[in-house]
Amino acid sequence: MKNTISILLASLLSVCGFSVSAGGGGDMQPVHQYEHELQHIGLRHAELLLEDPNVMFFDVNTLELWGEGYIPGAIFFNVSDWKALLPEKKDTPMVFYCANRLCNASEIAAHEALKLGYTQVMRMHEGIYGWRLSGRPIEKP
């Protein structure tokens, strides 16, 4: 709901002739608009999906954060040949996550998968910090 309101507000402002910008420590730039709608899931939904062996989890964190622990069975995604990690079947359910709600690396990775034609792409926006804070199990390399 919050995401939908933000998108609607940005769209309204751009239609009215206002420029919508965002910055990440550098110069302000126009906000990137994705052509695909991304499915966001919460911790409970992710935990239920974890029970399904057909669902793939991708950790899009840095190697240091990965080393502190990841969701059991998750695949480290922050590599140069990340496309080789994706499944052959385009309808394979996939969950991407990174550090927390402020991190957008998993959003970017999930949208890249959608652009490649994958159809069951989800993002767990609470990330590994939310997962750990909730007391859910982790694995370490």
Side-chain angles (χ1 to χ4, degrees):
M1 176 75 173
K2 191 180 207 180
N3 191 24
T4 304
I5 292 171
S6 298
I7 292 170
L8 289 174
L9 181 58
S11 299
L12 179 61
L13 290 173
S14 64
V15 168
C16 294
F18 294 100
S19 175
V20 180
S21 299
D27 293 334
M28 296 294 279
Q29 299 177 5
V31 175
H32 181 77
Q33 297 292 320
Y34 292 106
E35 65 181 79
H36 300 98
E37 185 68 30
L38 186 58
Q39 181 182 355
H40 294 271
I41 63 170
L43 294 170
R44 180 67 183 132
H45 189 177
E47 185 176 40
L48 291 172
L49 290 172
L50 193 58
E51 297 173 7
D52 184 342
N54 298 314
V55 178
M56 297 181 74
F57 280 75
F58 292 103
D59 186 307
V60 194
N61 287 302
T62 63
L63 191 56
E64 293 82 10
L65 193 53
W66 165 263
E68 293 175 12
Y70 51 89
I71 293 176
I75 299 165
F76 181 65
F77 195 77
N78 201 353
V79 295
S80 60
D81 61 342
W82 58 268
K83 288 181 184 177
L85 301 173
L86 298 173
E88 284 185 37
K89 293 178 63 180
K90 300 282 186 173
D91 64 346
T92 301
M94 297 183 290
V95 177
F96 291 83
Y97 70 90
C98 49
N100 55 33
R101 289 179 178 265
L102 299 177
C103 176
N104 69 341
S106 60
E107 179 180 20
I108 293 167
H111 278 289
E112 289 299 316
L114 285 168
K115 286 196 309 192
L116 292 172
Y118 289 91
T119 58
Q120 300 294 316
V121 180
M122 297 162 269
R123 177 180 182 233
M124 185 187 78
H125 51 269
E126 287 93 352
I128 193 62
Y129 287 134
W131 185 269
R132 279 193 252 163
L133 286 171
S134 70
R136 288 175 167 85
I138 61 167
E139 289 182 350
K140 291 188 176 188

